[in-house]
Amino acid sequence: MQPVSRWAEITRWLETEGRLDVVDVAARLGVAQETIRRDLRSLEEQGQLHRVHGGAVPLAIHALPQGSVAPAEPAGSDDLELLEALWAWLPRDGTVLLGAGRLTTDLARVIVGDLPPSKGLTIVTNSLDAAIVLSRAATVSVYNIGGTVNAATRAQEGDWALQDLNRLHTDVSIVCPAGISVAGGLSQPTPAAAAVSESEVRCGRKVIALVDSSALGSSAFVQFAALDQIDQIAVTGFPDTSLVQPFVDRGVRVFQTPAMS
């Protein structure tokens, strides 16, 4: 079944059932769960649905009154374990950039739950969701990049965002590519998202790609960095060894659940 046909079935089921589960949809369509996760990501980027842990809900269900803040969707236990390990590794002094994505927002929640005891860390992000979460971090200086807000991802993009990013130099930049492969590098689904991610990579002294296992070995529409421009990959879930090994063979460190080294 072609992606467009799968997307049509997914949106039809979502309209009638109100919520979809990745495992159930994969079984119904006879494809891998990773394929359905990629489909849901694509449909969310098109503004067709909202992804939640383990599946998706219609946008109408997730919509909130004007001025409300979206409730936290808890990270899965596997994601949480890796994100806690990543936060334990990150510096408590200096500057860290968080790109936009579900995983960086979950990382922001981890940070707020385990704040540095004293001030010294500055976090900058182009994610409205991450910035709202981090606004509760009393011992962390938080800067939010300006720019046009993407209605589907709530990321700030465009010329204003690029102007701000091009002035920055960070100790660590954490980006969330939609796809990452040895041949295709790191990629995003739109030119605007790719331009921001490219600037985020450029300003980081060390660059970490934080990805869901479903992104490994795949490529989105626009490449924004080659593999040799990043230092490490932090991947959630339990991807097959065949997906991880090509990156290891290229000399890229891959952090996985349950431990990082």
Side-chain angles (χ1 to χ4, degrees), residues 31-147:
V31 297
Q33 294 176 30
E34 289 77 10
T35 299
I36 298 304
R37 291 192 184 95
R38 284 195 291 268
D39 288 344
L40 295 183
R41 183 184 298 113
S42 296
L43 288 168
E44 184 177 53
E45 289 160 355
Q46 296 169 29
Q48 300 297 312
L49 52 77
H50 180 80
R51 287 186 300 154
V52 297
H53 182 66
V57 295
L59 288 177
I61 289 179
H62 195 261
L64 295 168
Q66 187 175 5
S68 299
V69 176
E73 292 288 349
S77 58
D78 296 338
D79 290 2
L80 186 61
E81 193 169 358
L82 180 129
L83 294 172
E84 288 175 341
L86 178 57
W87 171 227
W89 178 87
L90 289 171
R92 296 307 189 262
D93 291 287
T95 53
V96 174
L97 183 147
L98 299 182
R102 174 185 64 84
L103 291 174
T104 47
T105 301
D106 286 341
L107 177 58
R109 296 187 181 109
V110 169
I111 293 170
V112 169
D114 181 26
L115 290 175
S118 58
K119 293 185 177 181
L121 178 64
T122 295
I123 298 179
V124 59
T125 181
N126 74 309
S127 165
L128 287 179
D129 290 343
I132 290 170
V133 172
L134 290 167
S135 66
R136 306 194 301 271
T139 58
V140 176
S141 297
V142 180
Y143 290 85
N144 190 212
I145 295 295

Side-chain angles (χ1 to χ4, degrees), residues 164-187:
D164 281 351
L165 285 166
N166 290 337
R167 296 186 298 158
L168 300 182
H169 301 281
T170 60
D171 296 314
V172 181
S173 286
I174 301 176
V175 295
C176 287
I180 181 169
S181 67
V182 171
L186 288 71
S187 52

